[in-house]
Amino acid sequence: MHHLTTLPWSVKAYYLVLTCLAIFCLHRLFLVVLYYRKKGSFRSDPPLLQPLPPVTIQLPVYNEKYVVQRLIEASCSLDYPNELLEIQVLDDSTDETSDIIRQIVQHKKAAGIHIHHLQRQSRTGFKAGALAYGMGKAKGAFIAIFDADFIPPADFLTATIHQFSDPQVGMVQTRWDYVNRNYSLLTRIQALLLDGHFVIEHAARFLSGRFFNFNGTAGIWRREAIVDAGGWQHDTLTEDLDLSYRAQLRGWRFIFLNDVTVASELPVDINAFKTQQHRWAKGSVETLTKLAFPILTSKQPWKVKIEAIYHLSGNLAYVLVVLLALLMYPSVLGRFDLQWQLLLTLDLPLFFCSFLTVAIFFLAAQKESGNLQRTTVILLPLTMAMGVGLAINNAKAALEALVHHKTPFIRTPKLDVTGKKAVWRPGTYHCRMMAIPILELMMGFYFLHIMLVVAVMDKYLLLPFLLLFFVGFMMSAVFSFYHNAAAIIHGGRTA
């Protein structure tokens, strides 16, 4: 049997990258354990906040003609004293969305609702700039924010505002739910991914006293906390994550309400989904480069510091996935003469740490959210494959952040496509993407070739691992080409 020291460089590099990736993935298992250890330790029945404070609802909007009326109607239906509620529609639109908003606002004002249609001269700072502009005119001591694809329930404020009876609470985040969870395979995968983020990640971090973040929507801030933390800043693509960490470093306490949900609409176009993922991945690494030093030199406990760095650096794992994919073929050739016992000794433990721990993470989230079904058994490997398929897209985002390459804030189009029979209509906003899908397609064929080589070598134990990469890259590429073509057929235009 070969000794590890005699392995070719390609095999050593492969195992090194896989080990680093396993460390990221084992962190998911740590969060699951942390969640179950702390589950039930939070009481969500705080003292009533009396008297009720004035609240401003901010609705940042940019070219959202399909969903803006739904958003405003839901916001105007919030169960809260009218004299204490102010609604700001922060409109940066350049299309007919502004006309739609103008008509709705006039109607609501006539009905006695305190609603304002605010427009800026330019989109400086994008969403962060719009929120800062609105806050300069806001009257509320607390500010709730809803993106255009969200539908706040009538009891949102009554379910959240009393958490601020503790003067140290700076922000309350609620869990996202999805009106189109079962629309397509893509929306099912997205829902499963996001359930893991909220149900396990957010809950585990919150319950254990670690930092977690405002998700840009479906949450409410104490105005004083925003100001104290330095306000909305637009030097990262994730202004919400950036402000969250700055506020918590200032000592503000955040609360996550897992049992309070706000409905939202998931992207039905994979190119829009990839654009969203690119923004989130790049923004998190930008926040890491901006705040790593303040975090590490703060007076926070080391458990908080370490978790914060893990959280902000999580998207760097996609760079490792791309490296692993590129090393796969030379490492397979380098293992041609290895006995199967050594493959079991090396590959199986790393495979467990890298992928089975992630499966446990998502299964726990589905169980705890009440969404665990028989179909989850089929959906789970496809979700993990999609995670691999996103690697090129998200690795590009992470590397751009590391070299401080700035790109504009590209919003995710919302289309009001929720029912099973709904279709894209002419004029739909569309995120076009060509270069990334071509690379994904090439990577898919690359893994098909590797699988054929492995089959000839009789190294069948490697096939499930390789199949995950093949399916992931091919699925991501094919979906992108299909949605590009569908948008063109239905008259789509670039968002």
Side-chain angles (χ1 to χ4, degrees):
M1 181 180 292
H2 287 254
H3 295 288
L4 291 179
T5 55
T6 64
L7 291 174
W9 71 267
S10 58
V11 179
K12 292 178 181 177
Y14 167 82
Y15 283 126
L16 175 62
V17 172
L18 187 55
T19 300
C20 293
L21 187 61
I23 294 172
F24 277 100
C25 295
L26 279 172
H27 180 248
R28 299 286 189 97
L29 186 60
F30 166 75
L31 290 174
V32 173
V33 173
L34 193 61
Y35 169 81
Y36 280 109
R37 280 181 54 199
K38 300 293 184 178
K39 180 183 175 183
S41 62
F42 173 68
R43 295 188 60 182
S44 59
D45 52 349
L48 297 181
L49 188 61
Q50 295 292 347
L52 287 174
V55 175
T56 295
I57 307 294
Q58 290 190 325
L59 310 176
V61 172
Y62 173 68
N63 293 356
E64 304 291 3
K65 63 181 180 179
Y66 297 123
V67 296
V68 70
Q69 181 169 353
R70 181 181 71 185
L71 169 69
I72 296 175
E73 291 287 351
S75 301
C76 290
S77 300
L78 290 171
D79 182 16
Y80 204 72
N82 187 53
E83 67 275 12
L84 297 176
L85 186 63
E86 172 191 49
I87 300 172
Q88 294 180 334
V89 185
L90 307 175
D91 178 24
D92 282 350
S93 300
T94 58
D95 67 355
E96 57 267 44
T97 301
S98 295
D99 295 330
I100 298 172
I101 294 173
R102 196 170 294 112
Q103 294 177 11
I104 300 171
V105 168
Q106 288 176 355
H107 175 73
K108 294 300 180 182
K109 277 188 173 181
I113 295 173
H114 303 291
I115 184 169
H116 309 285
H117 182 195
L118 302 180
Q119 294 178 288
R120 301 185 292 160
Q121 294 299 315
S122 69
R123 288 187 70 205
T124 302
F126 304 104
K127 181 181 175 181
L131 293 172
Y133 177 77
M135 203 174 84
K137 299 176 180 295
K139 299 176 181 178
F142 295 88
I143 297 178
I145 301 170
F146 299 102
D147 282 347
D149 50 333
F150 280 71
I151 312 169
D155 64 347
F156 175 84
L157 290 177
T158 57
T160 58
I161 196 66
H162 299 293
Q163 299 293 338
F164 293 99
S165 58
D166 179 350
Q168 292 302 310
V169 172
M171 191 280 299
V172 176
Q173 174 70 54
T174 62
R175 179 160 60 92
W176 296 1
D177 200 2
Y178 317 102
V179 293
N180 61 340
R181 175 187 290 267
N182 297 315
Y183 174 77
S184 67
L185 175 62
L186 177 62
T187 58
R188 290 189 184 97
I189 288 173
Q190 290 178 73
L192 197 150
L193 289 169
L194 288 168
D195 283 345
H197 172 65
F198 283 96
V199 178
I200 300 298
E201 284 190 62
H202 263 12
R205 290 177 178 131
F206 161 58
L207 294 172
S208 65
R210 290 162 169 84
F211 286 2
F212 74 97
N213 63 292
F214 170 58
N215 290 98
T217 178
I220 179 169
W221 280 85
R222 188 189 296 270
R223 181 184 186 135
E224 182 186 353
I226 297 176
V227 174
D228 181 62
W232 295 106
Q233 299 174 8
H234 58 267
D235 53 347
T236 75
L237 289 178
T238 47
E239 71 292 323
D240 44 11
L241 180 62
D242 173 32
L243 178 61
S244 296
Y245 271 79
R246 285 187 279 117
Q248 288 170 105
L249 285 170
R250 292 285 298 170
W252 291 100
R253 181 169 168 249
F254 283 14
I255 288 178
F256 173 59
L257 297 179
N258 207 0
D259 57 345
V260 179
T261 61
V262 178
S264 63
E265 180 183 333
L266 294 163
V268 297
D269 179 346
I270 195 171
N271 296 307
F273 172 55
K274 287 179 181 178
T275 299
Q276 181 187 69
Q277 287 290 309
H278 183 278
R279 186 176 73 246
W280 290 354
K282 184 171 183 177
S284 69
V285 179
E286 287 177 330
T287 304
L288 172 68
T289 61
K290 176 180 179 178
L291 298 180
F293 183 75
I295 289 170
L296 293 174
T297 57
S298 71
K299 295 181 180 179
Q300 294 292 330
W302 274 104
K303 71 172 188 178
V304 173
K305 296 180 183 181
I306 293 171
E307 179 59 36
I309 297 301
Y310 255 112
H311 181 196
L312 297 178
S313 63
N315 283 293
L316 293 176
Y318 287 105
V319 178
L320 296 175
V321 173
V322 173
L323 286 174
L324 192 71
L326 294 174
L327 286 167
M328 198 71 70
Y329 185 61
S331 71
V332 165
L333 296 181
R335 287 179 286 174
F336 183 82
D337 294 327
L338 294 185
Q339 298 178 9
W340 66 269
Q341 291 93 336
L342 183 58
L343 289 176
L344 286 176
T345 303
L346 295 175
D347 285 58
L348 279 186
L350 290 174
F351 179 75
F352 173 81
C353 293
S354 300
F355 291 93
L356 293 186
T357 54
V358 177
I360 292 170
F361 171 82
F362 286 122
L363 283 172
Q366 293 304 288
K367 178 180 178 296
E368 293 301 307
S369 64
N371 293 313
L372 186 60
Q373 302 173 354
R374 292 180 180 178
T375 54
T376 306
V377 177
I378 300 174
L379 186 62
L380 185 60
L382 290 176
T383 302
M384 295 174 67
M386 179 59 76
V388 172
L390 289 170
I392 296 176
N393 181 74
N394 290 7
K396 174 178 175 289
L399 292 174
E400 285 178 352
L402 288 177
V403 300
H404 303 289
H405 173 66
K406 294 297 181 180
T407 51
F409 183 104
I410 301 176
R411 71 88 161 93
T412 308
K414 293 88 178 179
L415 309 176
D416 191 22
V417 179
T418 56
K420 288 290 291 182
K421 295 183 179 179
V423 295
W424 295 341
R425 69 207 80 176
T428 290
Y429 306 121
H430 175 56
C431 293
R432 291 183 182 174
M433 186 174 290
M434 290 303 298
I436 295 294
I438 290 173
L439 290 175
E440 291 166 347
L441 187 66
M442 293 170 62
M443 195 68 82
F445 283 116
Y446 171 66
F447 271 89
L448 178 61
H449 174 69
I450 298 173
M451 290 168 64
L452 293 174
V453 171
V454 165
V456 171
M457 293 167 57
D458 294 330
K459 303 292 185 182
Y460 298 107
L461 289 173
L462 298 176
L463 283 177
F465 189 52
L466 298 171
L467 185 63
L468 193 69
F469 281 75
F470 169 73
V471 172
F473 285 122
M474 292 300 288
M475 183 165 59
S476 185
V478 171
F479 274 7
S480 282
F481 292 133
Y482 170 73
H483 287 154
N484 272 332
I488 292 172
I489 291 171
H490 288 286
R493 70 186 186 194
T494 304

